[in-house]
Amino acid sequence: MGNRPLPYDLPIVRPYDGDKGTFFAGATWRGVGASEEVVAALKTLGIQRPSHIQAAAFTAFNTHSDRSALVLADQAGSGKTMAYLLPLLQALRADELAAGGRVTQPRCPRGIVVAPTVELVQQVLRVARALSGAGLRLRTAAFTGGQADDKARAASFRTQRDLLAEGVDLLVATPGRLQQHLADGGLRLDTCKALVMDEVDVLLGERAAFLEQVAPLRAAAPSTMRFMLATATLPQHIFAQLREVWPDLMPVFGPGLHRTAAGLVEELVDCSGGDDISEETGRKRKLEALQTVVDRHKAARTIVFCNKIDACRDVENYLRREDPQEEKYRVLPYHEAIRDEIRAQHMHRRAVLRARGAVRLPARPLRGMSWGSAAAMAAGLDAELLSKVSTVFVPSDDAIKAYVTSSGATSADLATGSGKSAVTAHVIPNKTLTSADFPEGSSSYNTVAGVPLTVSKAGGQLTVSAGSVTANVIQSDISTGNATIFLIDNVLSPVV
């Protein structure tokens, strides 16, 4: 079954080949079918253009309503959460606008996202609530289980049941808790427009268990409900199994699917072996292998991605036991279970361990730039974008302070709205340019904010401008591995 031919070529591994690996698509939001309301909400969040998978998903969802299921597949960091949320939220808002008011019914969510872990549920909920706060007004809720004892689990379930009774537009849930509410009768799918299965490759797991999850959902759903499946990897046998469940499954592939990223070396480490095979010994082998890789590369900073908070804690505790005096490692965990003020402190440091997502910062502050301005810049950039190669023009501390004073904003405001647009106007994505790469005269480059940035070079001196605002480059060519940083003496406000 897993090796039978597919009706087209499914990409296995593809090398990076220039513009096909860029983050943004050439289309506009309006061009792929986004409504004026959606475009306005995205502008509020500082998002000017769709990524490749977002553009493809919008087009497929809107123009292929005859398909019962879509599978969105692209590499991690390609924007898949927005790719499935935006067309779904637009459809839910369209129903309300057509009815002239709220159409939510008790116990009947109009859209559902299923995610395999609590961490991913929380991440999706944050994105959904950001979009709701930006103008796509919908009632959202997250349902998870896993509470410490029976009393806590029962209380959590009752609270969730009460929320359903009040009416929820978009529900984000783990599969077990979703099934419990469905079996209890407190959840109905009568008016559900679409059900998303995020990280469907993880949810698939044992094929029999996956079918047991899907069967009651399909049985309870109206024939008009559509499935949207999202994944960062799509092996051929997984795709074949999904086609058995949904024969009309429509593939929506981004250009980064199974593609190695520019400037990235991928290394597979064999953690098998040993006579004692158990979860504990397997975890020990993985931690030892991680330490070996970290010690071998001797990088100035290292980011360890973990898929769960418990895994983050395992790595943190192991490295601290191995190096209690912090002679080799300074371990700084960054995840949802840490207090906000501790996370903010760790954001300013060199090594970051984070459950789901990461932000890379230079190993030390640049001259004229403290970690305060570095963090303010980072706050306005999505982790997905910061994990990609880029060229960043970072204002000095004095420039940040002057901008904050003149605009009446705070440094925290750089994370949202027009402040975020101001930040993303400083970033040229998918290129690590040095001063030698800029030709004499003036050249224009697209930024993350979607507005042009002009770089001028005269006698070796660089200046940058956005609209009528110009800044001098006062320090050049600071390499951070995935980015090149230029320190500038002014904040460039985008023309939006």
Side-chain angles (χ1 to χ4, degrees):
M1 176 184 70
N3 295 321
R4 68 186 184 187
L6 296 175
Y8 49 84
D9 291 332
L10 182 68
I12 305 302
V13 177
R14 304 180 294 181
Y16 175 79
D17 56 356
D19 289 342
K20 291 182 180 178
T22 58
F23 183 81
F24 291 108
T28 64
W29 286 113
R30 290 293 288 155
V32 299
S35 66
E36 292 285 1
E37 184 182 47
V38 167
V39 173
L42 292 168
K43 186 175 180 180
T44 298
L45 296 174
I47 302 171
Q48 305 294 330
R49 293 167 53 200
S51 70
H52 288 282
I53 191 62
Q54 290 164 0
F58 233 120
T59 301
F61 188 86
N62 290 333
T63 61
H64 295 278
S65 58
D66 58 319
R67 299 295 186 102
S68 66
L70 310 175
V71 56
L72 314 180
D74 204 354
Q75 66 183 0
S78 57
K80 290 186 296 297
T81 304
M82 285 275 197
Y84 63 69
L85 280 180
L86 286 171
L88 174 55
L89 296 188
Q90 177 170 300
L92 301 186
R93 288 289 296 155
D95 289 344
E96 291 189 343
L97 293 173
R102 192 178 177 196
V103 296
T104 310
Q105 298 180 21
R107 300 188 298 156
C108 298
R110 297 190 293 136
I112 297 175
V113 179
V114 184
T117 65
V118 173
E119 291 81 12
L120 185 53
V121 166
Q122 293 169 341
Q123 176 180 307
V124 174
L125 182 68
R126 284 197 300 273
V127 177
R129 286 184 169 170
L131 290 168
S132 179
L136 302 180
R137 303 292 183 189
L138 293 167
R139 188 173 185 186
T140 59
F143 287 5
T144 61
Q147 287 74 26
D149 54 58
D150 292 342
K151 184 177 180 180
R153 280 192 292 273
S156 171
F157 190 85
R158 287 194 300 271
T159 300
Q160 294 168 0
R161 187 171 54 194
D162 291 343
L163 283 173
L164 283 172
E166 294 173 5
V168 172
D169 295 306
L170 180 71
L171 174 63
V172 189
T174 49
R177 184 47 61 101
L178 185 72
Q179 296 286 358
Q180 290 172 359
H181 282 288
L182 193 62
D184 179 69
L187 170 67
R188 297 175 56 183
L189 305 184
D190 300 15
T191 62
C192 188
K193 207 170 192 72
L195 187 145
V196 180
M197 305 187 79
D198 203 344
E199 291 194 358
V200 69
D201 53 329
V202 177
L203 290 171
L204 187 60
E206 294 294 331
R207 183 170 180 273
F210 178 74
L211 293 177
E212 290 176 2
Q213 292 180 38
V214 173
L217 296 174
R218 298 183 76 178
S223 60
T224 54
M225 189 183 83
R226 304 171 70 185
F227 284 83
M228 299 175 71
L229 319 175
T231 180
T233 59
L234 191 61
Q236 180 171 323
H237 72 282
I238 296 291
F239 185 80
Q241 290 177 15
L242 294 175
R243 287 293 290 265
E244 287 193 353
V245 179
W246 293 280
D248 67 339
L249 178 67
M250 180 176 182
V252 183
F253 295 162
L257 179 62
H258 301 167
R259 187 189 303 279
T260 55
L264 180 68
V265 176
E266 296 187 17
E267 178 182 349
L268 300 180
V269 180
D270 185 0
C271 299
S272 62
D275 297 329
D276 184 7
I277 300 176
S278 66
E279 183 177 347
E280 182 177 350
T281 59
R283 183 186 303 111
K284 184 174 184 293
R285 286 194 297 270
K286 288 173 65 177
L287 291 170
E288 290 172 345
L290 169 65
Q291 184 182 13
T292 299
V293 171
V294 170
D295 289 348
R296 172 158 48 85
H297 286 282
K298 294 182 172 62
R301 66 202 180 283
T302 300
I303 303 174
V304 180
F305 291 86
C306 304
N307 63 349
K308 293 185 178 180
I309 291 174
D310 286 345
C312 250
R313 288 170 171 156
D314 287 342
V315 174
E316 174 192 357
N317 294 334
Y318 177 81
L319 292 178
R320 283 180 171 165
R321 286 195 303 268
E322 293 297 307
D323 183 29
Q325 304 302 318
E326 293 191 344
E327 295 176 354
K328 296 167 62 177
Y329 321 114
R330 181 178 234 175
V331 182
L332 302 170
Y334 192 97
H335 52 68
E336 290 290 335
I338 295 175
R339 297 197 311 272
D340 291 345
E341 59 270 24
I342 300 299
R343 285 205 306 271
Q345 292 173 15
H346 289 181
M347 180 66 77
H348 302 174
R349 306 289 182 86
R350 291 183 293 178
V352 178
L353 295 178
R354 184 176 183 182
R356 299 202 60 82
V359 175
R360 300 183 182 188
L361 294 174
R364 61 184 182 279
L366 312 178
R367 293 193 302 274
M369 184 186 78
S370 73
W371 281 120
S373 59
M377 288 292 293
L381 295 171
D382 293 333
E384 291 181 348
L385 297 181
L386 281 170
S387 65
K388 296 178 177 294
V389 295
S390 55
T391 302
V392 187
F393 293 89
V394 178
S396 67
D397 250 15
D398 289 341
I400 288 280
K401 291 174 183 175
Y403 173 79
V404 168
T405 301
S406 64
S407 65
T410 66
S411 58
D413 292 331
L414 293 176
T416 58
S418 60
K420 182 170 182 177
S421 294
V423 172
T424 54
H426 294 73
V427 183
I428 301 173
N430 308 304
K431 301 175 186 292
T432 50
L433 302 171
T434 67
S435 54
D437 294 320
F438 296 111
E440 288 288 326
S442 298
S443 304
S444 182
Y445 301 87
N446 286 326
T447 63
V448 171
V451 297
L453 181 74
T454 300
V455 180
S456 301
K457 187 176 184 180
Q461 175 61 42
L462 293 175
T463 59
V464 293
S465 59
S468 60
V469 182
T470 300
N472 297 306
V473 174
I474 55 181
Q475 190 176 348
S476 302
D477 303 336
I478 303 108
S479 176
T480 69
N482 66 316
T484 304
I485 289 180
F486 293 82
L487 190 64
I488 58 177
D489 64 0
N490 201 0
V491 173
L492 305 173
S493 297
V495 180
V496 293

